[in-house]
Amino acid sequence: MWQHNGQPYGKGILSCDCWKNTTIIFRHCMEKDNTKAGPSVFLSMESGSEEPPSIPHKHTNRLAKQKSPYLLQHAHNPVDWYPWGQDAFDKAKNEDKPIFLSVGYSTCHWCHVMERESFEDEEIGKLLSDNFVCIKVDREERPDVDKVYMNFVQATSGGGGWPMSVWLTPDLKPFIGGTYFPPRDQGRRPGLMTVLTRIIEQVKQFLFVNFLTTLKKGTAIAANPGEAPPLATDVANRCFQQLANSYEEEYGGFRDAPKFPTPVNLMFLMSYWCVNHSTSEGVEALQMALHTLRMMALGGIHDHVAQGFHRYSTDSSWHVPHFEKMLYDQAQLAVAYITASQFGQSDAEDADSVPALGETEQREGAFCIWTASEIRELLPDVVEGATGVTTQADIFMHHYGVKDQGNVAPEQDPHGELQGQNVLIVRYSVELTAARFGIGVEKVSELMASARAKMAEVRKGRPRPHLDTKMVASWNGLMLSAYARVGAVLGDKAFLERAVQAGSFLKEYLWDAERQTILRSCYHGDKMEVQQISPPISGFLDDYAFIICGLLDLYEATLQTEWLQWAEELQLRQDMMFWDDQGGGYFCSDPSDSTVLLQLKEDQDGAEPSANSVSASNLLRLSHYTGRQEWHQRSQQLLAAFSDRLTRIPIALPEMVRALMAQHYMLKQIVICGQKDAPDTAGLLAAVNSLFLPHKVLMLVDGETDSFLCQRLPVLSSMSQHGGVAAAYVCQYFTCSLPVTDPQELRKILLDGSMGTQTE
């Protein structure tokens, strides 16, 4: 840091994070491109109001040429903004000016507040433009830049969030950082004007201390020479105990408010049960996962009208959500709910509990709340056969906890934005509601479905929110997995077609075949055509890892080897671009990019899984599909690099613990020999897909000896149908079962692992 009078200058000016008081929503859509066949898969983001009529702009800066909706929101500030790039860096060096770096995203509430208060202010705009090189970054486009400087802000303040405001030297080293600043002083909080003025006056007096050296040491992750991964059973047991200690028994979930869905935790718990189902810990793990999923589905965090789940709940009972929906949440929760259905839990199979993949309506807070009078006006019909004079509104309001005075407690609404409003939450089972009004269960279900459909129509008449048309590769990779997994379990051709369309879209628009590079994002133009910026942003580790995982899931769902081939190709590129030859594991971004000062390895499975966690599983799965033993070894090296974290706090990496467990228990290779579309083959595949098998790979052998799989795994050529009927072989620990032709027998083998084996 630069210092003034021997003291760090940045302390004391760091402020609150950006999530407070936010009423913004992310949405995901899959729509047809107007110009080409195939889907356009994208993330839409809403900020809650229609765009104002077009008016002449007093100011226009170079951000007007960008495609990012977040950058475009600042294109008419009286600030001389630059996008992140060489032009800005050169200007800073040539003019010997410090850099003001502002990082946010399109639907960040406090980002909008700071833009309105400060970046639209003429006086502040002039002060910034005259004395700094001002750079604006969309954190969803450049997560690498965001992570480096967020590490600095957190290290120097103990907190962070967005908007992130960081001042850099001309060679990009940070010396002061913060988050939101009011335009002018507010009590003890210095305003942006004050901060800027002090930096301008005193910048020449600062002594530069290279804080990056300390950051590099604090964020280093590497394996010691010859180090092996930690013992999987010990790590998994510790992860379970840590989750159990933080589990909230009444409503499920982990810790108190705010309460997040954390799909990575739920998937670990269900995987833990699979290898501990005969123990009390295994049973407890499964119940923790299922109860959490059930309570979320009943709660207000679940959008009962338009489906999908909001980002998190502001209370412990999942009632009042933070009104935003993230594509990566929908993707992971879809997988979690469909996995729960494989345990035969009917209450977890309710279609309303599964996020609506491809939902096209756009929502945010104002769209999701209702007054009692609105509902009475919308649902006035008297219900025949019900006790007394009962309307559809009466039954709906009882079932979903709607009250005349609103159902949001004052402590859940500190800013008074939800007074008199209701957030729908299921208060009674369908059976209890039916008994309360003296009607049948089917009748209640019909009435609730009808009411929700009417309410969805009402929403269409509400003002359209802002739409962010940026399409992020990694999040669409997660959604690809969701379509594939849900389609395979349900045997739903529509979902499988969506999955194939999503894979095709990624390959057409987010894969640069000439440079052999994944692209981070693409954009929709005014006519919904797919557009790209020039030069495009190259993909990061999570883009590769999540897409590879999606492609492996897509292969297992469709058994089309083209997706397996592309997954192999992408893994080779990922290894070349991101692998750390010295310490093991993958860097988050390309280490050859000199403008990114820290090479980080993400060490936490949070709202999204760590790309290293996903890669550990990808490598293991691919080693079984391709016969490349070096990928099995690389997966072990990766896990060894994270040994310290896995041993001490495995709760931070539950997805990586799943990969460690897969290494330990070894993957079953389930080989189906038959014609892909034949009924006997379909029966065996349905048996496999009916079960949650976290430690397996599935492959089809159709008799073509020159196929992709047979070329890489010659042993497959010796496997064939049995008596002219499709047959399954279950292989593990270098032995295979005798051929199985009956789906129920296959299901039994997979459930209990009691294989009658023969040596390969």
Side-chain angles (χ1 to χ4, degrees), residues 566-737:
W566 192 30
E568 181 186 43
E569 184 179 356
L570 290 183
Q571 188 63 59
L572 290 168
R573 286 296 296 166
Q574 177 182 315
D575 291 350
M576 185 181 301
M577 294 178 67
F578 303 106
W579 181 254
D580 178 5
D581 288 321
Q582 279 72 47
Y586 293 98
F587 293 115
C588 294
S589 58
D590 186 350
S592 67
D593 186 348
S594 61
T595 67
V596 180
L597 302 184
L598 282 179
Q599 294 306 321
L600 301 171
K601 298 174 188 174
E602 185 66 54
D603 62 352
Q604 181 169 358
D605 295 321
E608 303 170 58
S610 157
N612 269 292
S613 298
V614 175
S615 293
S617 293
N618 290 347
L619 289 164
L620 188 60
R621 293 170 75 183
L622 278 166
S623 71
H624 283 264
Y625 279 122
T626 65
R628 291 178 180 267
Q629 287 306 302
E630 65 269 25
W631 276 343
H632 186 278
Q633 295 162 4
R634 181 155 287 187
S635 180
Q636 290 182 314
Q637 292 169 346
L638 187 161
L639 293 167
F642 287 83
S643 286
D644 180 65
R645 187 85 159 163
L646 287 168
T647 302
R648 290 188 302 106
I649 42 173
I651 192 174
L653 286 166
E655 185 67 22
M656 190 172 287
V657 178
R658 292 182 70 211
L660 183 65
M661 292 165 66
Q663 283 270 5
H664 176 79
Y665 292 103
M666 296 187 66
L667 300 186
K668 288 185 175 76
Q669 293 173 304
I670 304 172
V671 183
I672 308 295
C673 296
Q675 297 305 306
K676 192 171 94 170
D677 297 322
D680 52 356
T681 303
L684 294 172
L685 291 171
V688 176
N689 290 326
S690 68
L691 301 172
F692 176 50
L693 304 168
H695 308 141
K696 71 99 168 68
V697 291
L698 172 65
M699 54 189 77
L700 176 73
V701 174
D702 58 7
E704 298 292 334
T705 56
D706 61 347
S707 67
F708 173 85
L709 284 171
C710 287
Q711 287 181 342
R712 282 158 177 75
L713 303 171
V715 69
L716 297 180
S717 298
S718 65
M719 298 180 182
S720 62
Q721 299 184 31
H722 187 67
V725 178
Y729 298 80
V730 181
C731 305
Q732 193 177 27
Y733 305 117
F734 307 105
T735 60
C736 291
S737 71

Side-chain angles (χ1 to χ4, degrees), residues 219 356 441 686 703:
T219 57
V441 170

Side-chain angles (χ1 to χ4, degrees), residues 120-236:
E120 292 182 359
D121 183 291
E122 296 279 351
E123 186 180 6
I124 291 176
K126 179 172 175 50
L127 198 62
L128 280 168
S129 301
D130 289 349
N131 297 279
F132 302 89
V133 176
C134 303
I135 300 179
K136 177 64 70 172
V137 168
D138 181 339
R139 67 177 295 263
E140 293 167 353
E141 282 190 326
R142 293 302 304 253
D144 55 337
V145 175
D146 177 62
K147 287 174 184 174
V148 168
Y149 295 108
M150 186 58 72
N151 264 276
F152 169 77
V153 170
Q154 291 174 334
T156 54
S157 72
W162 298 274
M164 177 169 62
S165 306
V166 189
W167 284 264
L168 320 176
T169 63
D171 56 356
L172 305 180
K173 294 182 175 68
F175 61 93
I176 293 176
T179 53
Y180 163 79
F181 292 95
R184 289 164 180 82
D185 296 354
Q186 292 182 358
R188 294 185 176 182
R189 173 179 290 177
L192 185 59
M193 280 288 293
T194 298
V195 175
L196 294 173
T197 302
R198 288 177 181 172
I199 292 174
I200 293 166
E201 291 173 349
Q202 303 174 11
V203 69
K204 298 301 182 184
Q205 302 174 32
F206 283 72
L207 299 174
F208 180 70
V209 177
N210 192 349
F211 197 81
L212 289 176
T213 302
T214 304
L215 279 180
K216 286 178 180 178
K217 291 180 180 178
T219 57
I221 295 172
N224 296 318
E227 185 176 7
L231 184 61
T233 51
D234 289 349
V235 171

Side-chain angles (χ1 to χ4, degrees), residues 73-127:
Q73 287 168 357
H74 295 76
H76 302 292
N77 295 160
V79 179
D80 188 18
W81 288 117
Y82 281 77
W84 180 267
Q86 198 60 46
D87 287 350
F89 309 151
D90 290 344
K91 179 178 175 66
K93 288 181 178 179
N94 293 338
E95 299 182 12
D96 193 26
K97 283 184 176 179
I99 292 169
F100 171 61
L101 175 66
S102 176
V103 182
Y105 56 99
S106 175
T107 58
C108 164
H109 173 72
W110 288 101
C111 299
H112 290 304
V113 172
M114 192 165 176
E115 193 245 351
R116 183 177 64 251
E117 292 179 342
S118 295
F119 301 145
E120 292 182 359
D121 183 291
E122 296 279 351
E123 186 180 6
I124 291 176
K126 179 172 175 50
L127 198 62

Side-chain angles (χ1 to χ4, degrees), residues 343-398:
F343 290 97
Q345 299 288 323
S346 60
D347 49 3
E349 293 177 15
D350 189 321
D352 283 352
S353 300
V354 182
L357 306 179
E359 174 65 26
T360 58
E361 290 195 357
Q362 298 136 15
R363 304 283 177 260
E364 56 94 20
F367 293 84
C368 299
I369 52 180
W370 304 84
T371 64
S373 59
E374 284 179 313
I375 293 174
R376 285 200 179 93
E377 183 179 347
L378 182 63
L379 308 172
D381 296 343
V382 175
V383 177
E384 294 183 11
T387 54
V389 182
T390 300
T391 65
Q392 186 179 13
D394 294 329
I395 299 174
F396 185 92
M397 292 168 65
H398 174 82

Side-chain angles (χ1 to χ4, degrees), residues 289-342:
L290 296 180
H291 183 59
T292 299
L293 288 166
R294 186 181 302 115
M295 297 310 293
M296 286 196 303
L298 298 176
I301 192 172
H302 175 204
D303 184 346
H304 294 277
V305 174
Q307 303 309 310
F309 287 82
H310 297 293
R311 182 68 193 89
Y312 63 84
S313 175
T314 62
D315 58 86
S316 63
S317 62
W318 303 110
H319 179 201
V320 180
H322 167 61
F323 292 104
E324 70 176 350
K325 293 179 186 172
M326 303 292 291
L327 180 64
Y328 53 73
D329 280 327
Q330 312 312 312
Q332 294 177 88
L333 285 170
V335 172
Y337 275 102
I338 204 64
T339 300
S341 77
Q342 293 176 297

